[in-house]
Amino acid sequence: MKDGEQVAFTLSGHSFCAEIKKAAKGTSIIGTRIHCFAEAGSTSDLARDFGRRGASEGTTVIASTQDEGRGRLGRRWISPEGGIWFSTVLRPNIGLKDASKLTLTFAVAVAEIIRRELKLKAEIRWPNDILVKGRKVGGVLGEATAGSDGRVSFVVVGVGLNANVDLTFFPTSIRGTITSFREELKRDVKIADFLVPLFQALEKYYLLFLDGGFEPVLSEWRKLAGFLGSRVKATCVAEKLVGRAVDVDVDGALLIKLEDGTEKKIFTGDLLELKPE
Ligand code: BTN
């Protein structure tokens, strides 16, 4: 969208939302319609409701806080004030089996913009964690709603970033594993200003995915995946695997070379980078 073009907003009247209004610049899909809330349960739930009611592609729900934020594998996502919590409705003409690739696509854009705008060496940990100095600063959650014939009706991609959050808000048990922009930069980041290039990058990679398929996105993803080549422990549904992270394939699955030399492909799970032996 060019400056000055019409953008539709739902504003809660909160000062956070007045700022956010400035964020939709220079995109023609992502954020062209923004629903902003001071408080939400989960922006992904709200975006899914908008999607079900026919919301246009790019419709984005953003909230200053969430009290029912969700992470991967049904985990709770703590979302206090100061963070960036938003979810976007996408309507790609793709099969359901390809929907998870959008999560990786968004992760590339997020990591790239943290690097470019904040000069922090953001990395991706499979499948969708955003790390700075080995600590989690954010994550991406993709959830597809099925259409007919194995196609998607729409996908909601949620992005959570601990931008200016106060880390003491988090339980001490996880505090050592997370970070924030504020913690790394020793200053606050202006969220509305950060969202402008972020929305533009999300759109750039989304279009790359639609036009060129997953391969070009995957090659960018690989460059940002600091863990590739490292010893890792993968916790999957039924087992724990220790080995070397070899690659991520065209389906977004992680290939691990186990200590006995065999290769294993995993589609879902958690990854922990281990110290070299
Ligand atoms: C992860 O588990 O790493 C993914 C976390 C995604 C969190 C975001 S915050 C905005 C959106 N709303 C949610 O409830 N979750 C996502």
Side-chain angles (χ1 to χ4, degrees), residues 41-45 66 68-73 75 77 79 84-87 128-129 136 138-141 157-161:
S42 156
T43 56
S44 287
D45 287 346
Q66 303 180 112
E68 284 171 46
R70 278 185 287 108
R72 265 187 348 113
L73 308 172
R75 293 180 185 131
W77 184 263
S79 319
I84 295 176
W85 326 118
F86 70 87
S87 304
N128 56 3
D129 291 341
K136 187 156 168 164
V140 183
L141 177 72
V157 189
V159 175
L161 290 166

